Amino acid sequence: MFNQLAPLCEKQANYIIKCQTSWFNVAHGGKRGGKNVTNGLAFCIALENHPNKLHLVAGVDSTSARLNIIDCDGYGILNYFAGRSREGKYKNRDAIYVNTSDGKEKILLVVGGGKANSYKAIKGNTYGMAYVTEANECDPTFLKEVEDRTLSSDDRKIFHDLNPKSPKHWYYTEYLAFHEEQQRENPDYGFNYEEFNIFDNLSISDEKLKQRLSTYDKTSIWYKRDILGKRVANESFLFTPIIEREKDFLVPSCSGGIISTGVDFGGNGSAHSFVTSSIPRSYTGITVLRSDRTEIIDDIHKKLKQLKKAFKEHILYVIEKYGHIDYIFADCAEKILISALQEVLDELHLHIPIKDSIKTPISSRIYAINMLMMLNKIKFVENDTKVIIKSLQEAVQDPDSDDDKVLDNGTSDVDTYDACNYSIENWYNVLLKTNNML
């Protein structure tokens, strides 16, 4: 039956069958393992004759929910209910209305769950089913609220999908472990868990699979997580490619593209850092053009003067060599220091917008830079980027963190690492997608 609907492997088909009799269903595993397609198909099948009208579709934000569940590269809910669905609003929130085979209309509320107060968006309702994508990126309070809001469902079903993290991540230790224990004690508990990887995805040809695998270092944590779908902890140095083969990432210069400067304002015992990068409009890679760092002076008046001098020297160097800077991204919390940067731009008659850094999740930053390194899609202009190269080479895993995180105890230059992220993180998703790494 299922293999007539999609090229499913036996593991995926069995998971979907178990979903129909399980209340909690978790699809865990590597990228391109078909988790969203598999979970989405199981969700839609259950929805066809579900007795409840209102259901929930969620992700770390509503955009993630739409991309991973509603659209899902053309294989999501809108595809399954093609000709039977429409988009609209429910109580002023985004929703999908679908006509199911039982002759009833069902409503799917689309929300984000990544913030501490996200749970407020789903209070006051009872949901028949809930599908949360990237569940381990959502706030724990939100996941608990989802459980509570489905308690009185006439056929309770919750679906999660997620990519692997460190075994110490809270989702495994504080959330999933409880349900695993309950299932061990009672085989009828209703917990359905399966690990998927790229080898389970029958829609990927052998040729394409071979090409994808060739981009990974088989000994790396990213191969074990992304390809094999295993829970593996990051240990010691975070960016080993640039430690082991620095020369491979060096280029004499760069031309063209979007030029963006990241600014990190250091605190006590740290430094102000500036990193400028170039992103081609084809989004095929990144070139870091220049990195500078200046130690902070305690005196507030001298501190501002020092910041302005260092910033001025950095941007003038970049403009003289590359002709322009399109954007400046800085820590949004430091309004006084941002005003100092604006004074420098006004003095130089430069009309460059200063934007707030978007604060990509810490683990996502580490992943993006590592993927770009593996693909050989990040370069550094020789002699002008020694500061950021040293920062990346010294970055180590925080042993007390339950997720990937740079140790920030003064033993390495986290300021320049942050500035580098500010300069390029606005384009992480499109870069990884263009290079088939999402």
Side-chain angles (χ1 to χ4, degrees), residues 147-214:
E147 286 195 12
D148 292 345
R149 291 291 150 187
T150 56
L151 279 173
S152 59
S153 167
D154 293 324
D155 183 13
R156 187 189 190 200
K157 291 189 188 301
I158 295 174
F159 299 80
H160 285 184
D161 70 59
L162 61 145
N163 295 321
K165 294 283 190 178
S166 164
K168 296 192 299 181
H169 192 276
W170 67 262
Y171 182 86
Y172 301 129
T173 60
E174 299 174 21
Y175 189 85
L176 205 61
F178 171 79
H179 299 290
E180 291 172 331
E181 180 61 27
Q182 295 299 109
Q183 185 65 31
R184 281 192 293 268
E185 294 180 358
N186 176 16
D188 296 324
Y189 175 70
F191 175 49
N192 175 27
Y193 174 89
E194 189 58 80
E195 286 191 355
F196 300 100
N197 58 52
I198 198 169
F199 303 106
D200 298 316
N201 190 340
L202 301 184
S203 68
I204 299 178
S205 67
D206 291 345
E207 182 180 351
K208 190 173 182 179
L209 180 59
K210 188 180 296 184
Q211 187 277 329
R212 175 61 58 83
L213 297 182
S214 69

Side-chain angles (χ1 to χ4, degrees), residues 8 33 42 90-91 94 108 112 166 196 211 214 218 225 254 261 270 292 331 346 390-391 401 417:
L8 300 175
Y90 177 79
K91 294 184 179 179
D94 290 344
L108 310 179
S166 164
F196 300 100
Q211 187 277 329
S214 69
K218 304 300 188 296
R225 285 185 186 173
C254 175
T261 298
S270 59
D292 291 298
D331 189 339
D346 293 343
K390 183 174 183 289
S391 173
S401 174
Y417 166 73

Side-chain angles (χ1 to χ4, degrees), residues 180-365:
E180 291 172 331
E181 180 61 27
Q182 295 299 109
Q183 185 65 31
R184 281 192 293 268
E185 294 180 358
N186 176 16
D188 296 324
Y189 175 70
F191 175 49
N192 175 27
Y193 174 89
E194 189 58 80
E195 286 191 355
F196 300 100
N197 58 52
I198 198 169
F199 303 106
D200 298 316
N201 190 340
L202 301 184
S203 68
I204 299 178
S205 67
D206 291 345
E207 182 180 351
K208 190 173 182 179
L209 180 59
K210 188 180 296 184
Q211 187 277 329
R212 175 61 58 83
L213 297 182
S214 69
T215 65
Y216 281 85
D217 174 0
K218 304 300 188 296
T219 64
S220 71
I221 185 177
W222 311 109
Y223 181 82
K224 294 170 185 174
R225 285 185 186 173
D226 289 1
I227 301 302
L228 301 182
K230 301 299 181 183
R231 308 177 193 180
V232 185
N234 228 327
E235 297 179 357
S236 192
F237 294 102
L238 290 170
F239 305 104
T240 53
I242 200 166
I243 297 174
E244 296 170 351
R245 47 188 182 90
E246 177 183 333
K247 291 183 179 180
D248 292 348
F249 297 101
L250 301 179
V251 292
S253 189
C254 175
S255 61
I258 303 164
I259 295 182
S260 169
T261 298
V263 181
D264 182 73
F265 304 114
N268 293 331
S270 59
H272 297 313
S273 292
F274 315 94
V275 176
T276 297
S277 303
S278 173
I279 303 95
R281 298 189 184 276
S282 59
Y283 305 113
T284 51
I286 290 170
T287 302
V288 181
L289 306 177
R290 177 78 181 180
S291 60
D292 291 298
R293 168 185 164 90
T294 179
E295 298 293 336
I296 294 176
I297 299 171
D298 290 336
D299 183 277
I300 183 62
H301 300 293
K302 291 182 179 179
K303 181 178 180 179
L304 287 175
K305 185 176 181 180
Q306 173 201 27
L307 170 65
K308 292 167 70 173
K309 179 177 183 294
F311 176 64
K312 181 177 181 179
E313 290 175 352
H314 180 88
I315 61 172
L316 285 178
Y317 182 94
V318 172
I319 291 174
E320 181 178 353
K321 189 168 183 177
Y322 299 100
H324 65 100
I325 294 175
D326 297 293
Y327 303 100
I328 295 168
F329 292 93
D331 189 339
C332 58
E334 303 289 350
K335 299 302 181 186
I336 294 177
L337 301 182
I338 289 176
S339 296
L341 302 187
Q342 187 62 58
E343 289 175 13
V344 173
L345 297 179
D346 293 343
E347 176 191 332
L348 297 173
H349 304 290
L350 294 172
H351 302 289
I352 307 171
I354 301 177
K355 297 178 174 291
D356 294 344
S357 58
I358 62 175
K359 298 294 186 182
T360 302
I362 293 171
S363 59
S364 298
R365 293 175 175 179

Side-chain angles (χ1 to χ4, degrees), residues 44-56:
C44 290
I45 291 171
L47 188 64
E48 289 280 23
N49 293 286
H50 200 284
N52 291 100
K53 181 177 183 178
L54 185 62
H55 305 270
L56 183 67

